[in-house]
Amino acid sequence: EAAPAGAMEAKLSQSLDDIVAASRRASGGGTKRRHQTRTPIAKASRGDTISSRLGGKTGGRPAAAKQAWRKHVQRKRDAATGETVVRFYETDVVRIGTDDIVLSSGGYSNDVTRHCINDALSNYVFSVKQSLSGDWFVSDGRTRLVRFTDGIVLSGAARELKAERSSSV
């Protein structure tokens, strides 16, 4: 139904607060707000997490299953080159030399491979991030952000340990 022209003009000259209050009075709601009638949520205790409140279940898979990829990671020192090599299944995902770090997904650009690479980089200031579009980037957490490509060489990255950065800040 169309409102009379005079009623519409009257509403246009009112403030939004006045219109809402009049609407509540007309519906018998008064000025009481809906959220004030709800039971307050108990404050979380220290160590209480959403996961623990949901019975420890997150993402539908048990925590052990989420970390199952770790049993397929091998870390060894290459005697010929002196590099530390992190291998995930049959792919050398990280090669850490005396100066440089070389990263590769081996064509497997998925979350598990990215987590494996980041695990290998945990002592260094670099990590691999994923954008909303799914592209991977290598970041130092400060200023450097470089698009990830297989075989990317992070020059001088092996010298940039997290402990050294935090002590220099």
Side-chain angles (χ1 to χ4, degrees):
E1 296 178 31
M8 183 61 74
E9 287 177 12
K11 282 190 174 183
L12 289 174
S13 66
Q14 290 179 338
S15 72
L16 183 57
D17 290 335
D18 292 340
I19 294 170
V20 170
S23 174
R24 284 190 177 140
R25 281 191 301 274
S27 66
T31 58
K32 193 176 205 180
R33 293 187 181 165
R34 177 182 287 171
H35 72 274
Q36 290 175 335
T37 62
R38 294 184 182 164
T39 306
I41 298 171
K43 287 186 178 180
S45 63
R46 188 176 267 277
D48 190 20
T49 63
I50 298 272
S51 172
S52 66
R53 284 186 259 158
L54 296 174
K57 296 180 181 176
T58 57
R61 293 189 325 176
K66 290 182 181 179
Q67 301 296 319
W69 59 268
R70 291 182 186 274
K71 66 182 177 185
H72 301 286
V73 176
Q74 299 171 347
R75 186 182 208 116
K76 61 181 177 182
R77 187 145 178 91
D78 186 340
T81 62
E83 296 177 320
T84 299
V85 179
V86 178
R87 178 172 278 225
F88 183 50
Y89 285 97
E90 299 298 317
T91 304
D92 293 344
V93 292
V94 178
R95 298 183 74 86
I96 303 169
T98 54
D99 289 325
D100 303 337
I101 297 177
V102 181
L103 307 176
S104 176
S105 70
Y108 299 99
S109 298
N110 56 49
D111 285 341
V112 177
T113 304
R114 188 170 49 83
H115 288 304
C116 179
I117 292 171
N118 283 333
D119 190 56
L121 293 174
S122 64
N123 292 331
Y124 300 91
V125 298
F126 293 92
S127 63
V128 178
K129 311 279 187 187
Q130 184 171 333
S131 69
L132 293 175
S133 64
D135 294 329
W136 286 11
F137 294 91
V138 180
S139 170
D140 70 349
R142 285 187 172 175
T143 57
R144 288 180 278 187
L145 187 67
V146 180
R147 182 180 296 271
F148 180 96
T149 56
D150 278 340
I152 186 169
V153 178
L154 306 177
S155 298
R159 296 184 303 247
E160 297 188 46
L161 296 170
K162 282 185 179 176
E164 291 176 4
R165 173 181 277 185
S166 63
S167 66
S168 67
V169 173

